[in-house]
Amino acid sequence: MAQIVRLSGPDAIAFAQAQFANDIPSLADGHWQWSAWLTAKGRVMAVFQLLRIDSQQLLLVCHDGGAEAMAEQLRRFVFRRKVAITHEAALTASGALQRPIAANGAVLAMLADGVIEADVGSDALPRALHIGGNHADQGDDAELAWRQSDLRLGLPRLEESQREQWTPQQLGLDRLSAYSVKKGCYPGQEIVARTHFLGKAKRSVALLRATNPAAAGQTVAQNEANIGTIASTAGVLALAVLPLELAEGALSINGEVAVIEPLLDGLAR
């Protein structure tokens, strides 16, 4: 399912603070939050879980893969900081559509077998993520069900073609508290803050149920005009970037009707 990047060393927190869109020093040991890594132009390269294990160790849980490439890119910015960045290929993660055993909200739990448990669900849609240990292949149906639950909770799953295409506001990452407009400088921070404080965000994600499975990058039409683009898909569900104010009229993808469904709250940490 997910891939893991580890940041370790005395400067791990400071390094992450300089690179990622959320505030890391204020995150307590044994807690986690959503975060994002942006380009200098404020476009999202990755959305991930950031787990603060202790004051010198962070885990980045990359649900869309690309951990090895991410680790390699991050190493370019280390300079003289005392931080090691590794792709933990042997560390696996597995999700379950059920309530966590011990984790709650942003608080991680260490289970008896050394597995880290995170609460990645809500009251409306309980889910648990287990990191470490041996996980059997869950199969295509289980993977699709998990990915669809991500989209229902407003978590975008970005394939390669959709990286560096969208701002955090366009992907609705405020729903996840995955970026900050108050912390100091990080790549893309100026654009993110300007968009926020000047009220220039005109688009955000909506959950669509399509007639047939759609593909990322396809357009969404209304009244014979293209009004948006699909950013993430899971079977017949899709997250599409649409205008915040929609006109009257049915939506369609490839000429087939698509219906807006409500996003579930409760995934922010």
Side-chain angles (χ1 to χ4, degrees), residues 21 38-44 164-170 179-202:
L38 312 181
T39 68
K41 295 182 179 180
R43 298 301 190 267
V44 177
E164 303 186 30
Q165 300 297 312
W166 309 105
T167 66
Q169 289 94 338
Q170 289 172 332
Y179 66 94
S180 172
V181 296
K182 297 180 180 180
K183 68 172 280 188
C185 186
Y186 58 85
Q189 181 267 341
E190 183 179 352
I191 293 172
V192 170
R194 185 188 308 136
T195 301
H196 174 80
F197 290 112
L198 296 182
K200 290 185 177 180
K202 305 300 182 183

Side-chain angles (χ1 to χ4, degrees), residues 210-265:
T211 304
N212 291 300
Q218 288 184 320
T219 57
V220 180
Q222 184 185 52
N223 300 327
E224 300 184 353
N226 292 334
I227 63 165
T229 305
I230 295 174
S232 186
T233 65
V236 295
L237 295 184
L239 285 180
V241 179
L242 301 178
L244 291 174
E245 297 183 7
L246 285 174
E248 294 291 332
L251 303 179
S252 64
I253 301 170
N254 286 333
E256 299 179 322
V257 173
V259 179
I260 294 179
E261 294 196 348
L263 287 164
L264 299 179
D265 293 323

